[in-house]
C-alpha cells in the first residue's frame, strides 16, 4: 500500500519538452503536508567514445510562494532576449567551429555544407556545447 501511494505522488502532473540533446521534465510533486511544488529537470544526452550514451541531470525546485516572482523574472528575461536578439537562432559560432574543424582536417567546406550539417539529424553528430 505504501509503495502504491508513493507512485501516485510521483505522477501528479508532468510535461516533457524535448529540445535536441536536452530534455526538460516539468513535474508537479507533493510535500509531506500534501501541498504541491514544481520541479524542472534538465536531462542532457552525451555520447560516449564507444557510441553508447549517458545523461547528466540538473533539477530545480520551485515553491508556490515563489511562483509569481519566478514567472515575472522568466518572462522579463525571455522578453529581453527576444527584444534584443529576435527569436531566430544565431548559430554563427557553431558554424565557425565547424569550419575551423573541417579546415584543420585539410578539406574545404562551404557555408551551405555547414548549415546542412547543423540543422540535420542530431543523432549522429556530437555537439559538445549545445
Amino acid at each position: 500500500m505504501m509503495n502504491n501511494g508513493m507512485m501516485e505522488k510521483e505522477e501528479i502532473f508532468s510535461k516533457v519538452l524535448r529540445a535536441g540533446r536536452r530534455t526538460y521534465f516539468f513535474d508537479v510533486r507533493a510535500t509531506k503536508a500534501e501541498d504541491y511544488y514544481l520541479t524542472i529537470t534538465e536531462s542532457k544526452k552525451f555520447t560516449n567514445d564507444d557510441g553508447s550514451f549517458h545523461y547528466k541531470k540538473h533539477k530545480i525546485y520551485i515553491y508556490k510562494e515563489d511562483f509569481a516572482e519566478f514567472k515575472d523574472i522568466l518572462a522579463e528575461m525571455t522578453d529581453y532576449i527576444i527584444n534584443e536578439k529576435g527569436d531566430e537562432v544565431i548559430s554563427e559560432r557553431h558554424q565557425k567551429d565547424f569550419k575551423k574543424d573541417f579546415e584543420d582536417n585539410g578539406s574545404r567546406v562551404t557555408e551551405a555544407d555547414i548549415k546542412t550539417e547543423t540543422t540535420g539529424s542530431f543523432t549522429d553528430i556530437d555537439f559538445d556545447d549545445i
Side-chain angles (χ1 to χ4, degrees):
M1 269 318 211
M2 183 75 185
N3 195 19
N4 196 17
M6 292 300 286
M7 285 302 290
E8 282 165 27
K9 266 192 179 147
E10 288 296 303
E11 307 269 321
I12 296 163
F13 185 53
S14 297
K15 289 257 175 169
V16 179
L17 169 62
R18 297 188 203 291
R21 283 175 48 207
R22 286 193 167 101
T23 304
Y24 298 96
F25 300 92
F26 297 82
D27 295 293
V28 174
R29 298 182 183 275
T31 64
K32 287 192 176 76
E34 293 299 314
D35 204 355
Y36 289 168
Y37 64 98
L38 172 66
T39 64
I40 302 174
T41 308
E42 177 205 42
S43 176
K44 190 175 172 191
K45 185 178 184 180
F46 292 88
T47 308
N48 302 319
D49 291 337
D50 64 2
S52 62
F53 301 114
H54 70 278
Y55 295 84
K56 284 188 181 159
K57 291 187 175 185
H58 300 281
K59 186 176 286 194
I60 62 171
Y61 296 77
I62 306 158
Y63 297 94
K64 286 196 313 196
E65 60 267 30
D66 303 316
F67 284 173
E69 204 172 357
F70 187 90
K71 269 170 64 175
D72 289 348
I73 292 173
L74 183 62
E76 185 184 347
M77 291 294 168
T78 53
D79 288 349
Y80 176 84
I81 291 169
I82 288 166
N83 289 336
E84 292 289 315
K85 298 293 179 186
D87 57 5
E88 274 185 56
V89 176
I90 303 169
S91 55
E92 190 184 350
R93 181 170 60 86
H94 298 293
Q95 290 174 7
K96 280 203 180 92
D97 289 347
F98 261 96
K99 207 166 187 175
K100 187 168 54 71
D101 289 347
F102 280 116
E103 283 170 358
D104 289 348
N105 294 339
S107 63
R108 193 89 182 112
V109 171
T110 66
E111 205 69 4
D113 291 340
I114 293 164
K115 282 203 176 76
T116 313
E117 200 75 43
T118 53
T119 55
S121 166
F122 286 107
T123 49
D124 53 356
I125 306 168
D126 194 27
F127 293 90
D128 280 337
D129 51 27
I130 287 188

